[in-house]
């Protein structure tokens, strides 16, 4: 048996109906934007392995930092103890973050980063003796798969089975072109009830919804409105963080600053699972009290794992190099050129670009479901051609590692053009 055959004896894969799924491709090696499977077939990782890997697979600089940390202090509990990597990450990250973000809470993945933000919003009001139990989120949002994060997510595909067991979340339209006023007014109506503790959003780009984009100026208005009503704003930058939008954070396009931010995915350059939720001083102070019951009783065994912190430090160092910033700009310009070339194609409905993110919506007859047959045809077409893309319904998006070469990008674009004809 090969790896792929041995795998399905025991392994249960994410987002997978095993009865109908194709065999899982066993990847044995990665370098830069490339991956190789057990038969030696080469793939371009055009989605940076679910948006986690900006600096390339098997990155030597990050690997060295991890090795050094593993052989110095691999892990120590973060309750009652601290360590240099966590101190350095805090010092470095707060320099990169919006200036109001002062406190960091570590966890293991994007979903837990969101859980923590939501729990902090709810408990902040509880600690003050105020009853605010609901959260506001966008339609078609994606914030993760644990319970509170799932409740905040609006893609019914992921949450349908759990209706009735979820935290109460009320949705407003995304302020995309034409919906700006509807979004603003819906938010204002909700805020006036004083029942809400927080408003969570993916700033500027809704990743899992298919790279749906909206303007920073519209988000600024929504944040300002929340501020006016003392409702906390939570920027879920799990996908957008660390350069994807062309700036370090999507929030860097805003004039307003969010109260909390959720970071994960590219935080460790796609090496070690880690997440950080960041907070204003005001939020932290809402838990700072003689009364032990007002503390945040949340933690994970591997909170602030030193090895993860070392990977995050090395990753942030890479991000801020001139070479990497130029890579981001180069990919952006390539995307714009391709967009210009393809946008009037008879099968293209819409296109959009932000930073290293390119998305193209293909014209189809009727609505396309998230994991529908057209999507599967596209997915398999790209896999056949050695390109890893995961279309969302009829939306094909590219979000490559920043180290991808121009030639590799060109191959992705060409294959998308072929798909427009053949799929
Ligand atoms: C991926 C993602 C999450 C969830 O992160 P996990 O690490 O998969 O739990 C949350 N929010 C956004 C915006 C994401 O893209």
């Amino acid at each position: 048996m090969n790896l792929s055959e041995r795998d399905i004896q025991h392994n249960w894969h994410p987002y997978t109906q095993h009865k109908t799924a194709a065999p899982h491709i066993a990847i044995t090696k990665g370098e830069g934007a490339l991956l190789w499977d057990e038969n030696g077939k080469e793939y371009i990782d055009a989605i940076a392995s679910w948006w986690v890997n900006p600096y390339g697979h098997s990155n030597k600089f990050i690997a060295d930092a991890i090795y050094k940390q593993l052989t110095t202090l691999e892990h120590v509990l973060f309750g009652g103890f601290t360590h240099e990597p966590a101190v350095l990450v805090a010092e470095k990250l707060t320099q990169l973050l919006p200036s109001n973000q002062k406190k960091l809470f570590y966890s293991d993945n994007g979903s837990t980063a969101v859980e923590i933000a939501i729990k902090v919003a709810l408990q902040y009001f509880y600690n003050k003796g105020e009853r605010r139990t609901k959260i506001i989120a966008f339609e078609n949002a994606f914030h993760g798969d644990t319970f509170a994060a799932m409740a905040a997510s609006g893609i019914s595909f992921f949450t349908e089975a759990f209706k009735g067991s979820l935290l109460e979340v009320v949705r407003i339209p995304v302020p995309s072109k034409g919906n700006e006023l509807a979004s603003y007014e819906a938010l204002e109506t909700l805020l006036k009830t004083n029942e809400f503790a927080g408003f969570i959003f993916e700033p500027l780009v809704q990743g899992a919804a298919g790279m749906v984009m909206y303007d920073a100026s519209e988000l600024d208005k929504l944040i300002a409105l929340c501020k006016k009503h003392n409702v906390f704003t939570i920027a879920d930058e799990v996908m957008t963080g660390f350069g994807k939008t062309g700036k370090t954070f999507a929030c860097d396009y805003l004039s307003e600053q969010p109260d909390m931010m959720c970071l994960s995915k590219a935080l460790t350059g796609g090496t070690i699972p880690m997440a950080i939720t960041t907070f204003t001083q005001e939020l932290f102070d809402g838990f700072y009290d003689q009364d032990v019951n007002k503390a945040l009783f949340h933690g994970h065994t591997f909170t602030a794992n030193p090895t993860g912190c070392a990977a995050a430090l090395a990753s942030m160092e890479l991000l801020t190099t001139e070479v990497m910033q130029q890579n981001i700009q180069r990919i952006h310009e390539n995307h714009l050129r391709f967009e210009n070339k393809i946008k009037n194609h008879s099968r293209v409905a819409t296109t959009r670009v932000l930073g290293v993110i390119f998305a193209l919506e293909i014209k189809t007859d009727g609505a396309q479901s998230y994991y529908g047959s057209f999507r599967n045809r596209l997915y398999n077409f790209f896999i056949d051609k050695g390109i890893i893309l995961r279309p969302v319904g009829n939306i094909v998006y590219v979000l490559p590692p920043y180290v991808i070469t121009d030639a590799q990008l060109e191959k992705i674009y060409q294959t998308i053009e072929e798909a427009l004809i053949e799929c």
Side-chain angles (χ1 to χ4, degrees):
M1 279 198 288
N2 64 15
L3 282 176
S4 178
E5 286 155 357
R6 280 159 61 198
D7 172 81
I8 50 163
Q9 308 295 311
H10 300 292
N11 287 336
W12 192 340
H13 287 258
Y15 309 119
T16 298
Q17 174 48 268
H18 278 272
K19 181 149 190 181
T20 52
H24 291 82
I25 299 165
I27 297 296
T28 52
K29 187 176 145 63
E31 192 183 320
L34 297 178
L35 294 165
W36 289 271
D37 73 14
E38 62 180 328
N39 302 315
K41 181 172 171 179
E42 183 179 287
Y43 301 84
I44 300 174
D45 186 357
I47 56 165
S49 284
W50 269 341
W51 323 334
V52 300
N53 193 311
Y55 317 114
H57 288 284
S58 314
N59 183 287
K60 182 109 180 34
F61 183 73
I62 304 175
D64 285 346
I66 290 173
Y67 180 80
K68 202 167 149 225
Q69 190 58 48
L70 277 175
T71 48
T72 309
L73 173 67
E74 83 303 338
H75 182 68
V76 64
L77 69 166
F78 209 53
F81 297 87
T82 190
H83 47 80
E84 190 178 33
V87 173
L88 291 176
V89 166
E91 288 171 355
K92 174 99 181 168
L93 188 58
T94 46
Q95 279 171 20
L96 299 178
L97 287 167
S99 61
N100 70 340
Q101 296 300 297
K102 299 292 188 204
K103 299 285 177 182
L104 273 57
F105 198 100
Y106 294 85
S107 62
D108 309 323
N109 58 70
S111 302
T112 53
V114 168
E115 294 289 326
I116 290 159
I118 290 176
K119 283 175 75 173
V120 164
L122 297 175
Q123 194 185 333
Y124 178 92
F125 288 107
Y126 176 86
N127 280 357
K128 287 210 310 182
E130 258 186 71
R131 212 184 129 68
R132 288 181 181 236
T133 54
K134 301 180 190 172
I135 296 289
I136 302 167
F138 278 140
E139 287 165 2
N140 286 319
F142 182 76
H143 297 292
D145 293 335
T146 53
F147 259 76
M150 176 170 67
S153 298
I155 301 170
S156 60
F157 204 86
F158 296 96
T159 57
E160 196 64 23
F162 308 100
K163 262 190 188 160
S165 324
L166 298 172
L167 172 78
E168 201 169 334
V169 175
V170 182
R171 275 171 219 297
I172 63 168
V174 179
S176 49
K177 292 266 170 302
N179 300 314
E180 296 92 337
L181 195 62
S183 178
Y184 187 88
E185 287 178 347
L187 181 63
E188 191 166 39
T189 306
L190 294 179
L191 292 174
K192 280 181 180 160
T193 65
N194 290 329
E195 290 173 352
F196 293 89
F199 167 41
I200 186 165
F201 48 85
E202 294 157 272
L204 309 193
V205 193
Q206 291 186 300
M211 303 297 157
V212 172
M213 297 181 189
Y214 60 96
D215 283 350
S217 60
E218 298 306 323
L219 183 56
D220 266 330
K221 288 179 207 159
L222 302 183
I223 294 176
L225 197 54
C226 287
K227 295 228 147 106
K228 192 173 130 199
H229 291 270
N230 294 316
V231 167
F232 291 114
T233 50
I234 306 167
D236 178 355
E237 293 235 20
V238 169
M239 189 282 281
T240 49
F242 302 102
K244 309 245 180 67
T245 63
K247 298 199 183 211
T248 304
F249 299 106
C251 286
D252 296 339
Y253 286 94
L254 300 172
S255 309
E256 298 287 341
Q257 295 181 327
D259 297 297
M260 297 180 235
M261 287 171 71
C262 305
L263 308 171
S264 187
K265 293 209 166 107
L267 172 64
T268 61
T271 57
I272 293 186
M274 197 169 86
I276 298 178
T277 315
T278 71
F279 304 94
T280 58
Q281 188 67 42
E282 182 198 358
L283 276 159
F284 180 81
D285 289 347
F287 294 72
Y288 193 76
D289 201 279
Q290 289 297 341
D291 183 357
V292 69
N293 292 311
K294 292 200 170 165
L296 179 63
F297 280 100
H298 187 106
H300 299 279
T301 312
F302 280 99
T303 301
N305 171 248
T307 312
C309 288
L313 270 176
S315 297
M316 285 188 277
E317 203 172 309
L318 286 176
L319 175 67
T320 48
T321 58
E322 209 178 305
V323 177
M324 212 55 77
Q325 293 299 313
Q326 281 167 359
N327 278 334
I328 291 170
Q329 192 56 34
R330 174 179 60 85
I331 295 167
H332 181 67
E333 282 159 16
N334 275 306
H335 281 349
L336 289 177
R337 256 197 307 278
F338 180 57
E339 178 183 45
N340 237 337
K341 179 177 177 199
I342 203 75
K343 68 182 177 202
N344 295 321
H345 190 288
S346 62
R347 285 208 68 199
V348 173
T350 59
T351 57
R352 45 195 176 267
V353 173
L354 183 67
V356 304
I357 306 168
F358 168 83
L360 177 157
E361 190 185 344
I362 302 176
K363 275 186 202 157
T364 52
D365 313 325
Q368 292 301 324
S369 70
Y370 208 87
Y371 281 123
S373 62
F374 180 63
R375 178 265 177 207
N376 291 342
R377 207 155 67 234
L378 284 169
Y379 176 80
N380 292 328
F381 179 82
F382 292 124
I383 288 291
D384 273 353
K385 305 264 173 188
I387 295 177
I388 301 174
L389 284 168
R390 286 179 67 95
V392 175
N394 58 330
I395 297 164
V396 176
Y397 72 85
V398 182
L399 198 170
Y402 306 160
V403 295
I404 194 167
T405 65
D406 284 348
Q408 289 161 349
L409 267 178
E410 196 49 46
K411 183 169 175 202
I412 297 170
Y413 299 148
Q414 275 173 15
T415 311
I416 292 174
E417 280 188 76
E418 289 168 26
L420 290 177
I421 297 163
E422 295 186 31
C423 293

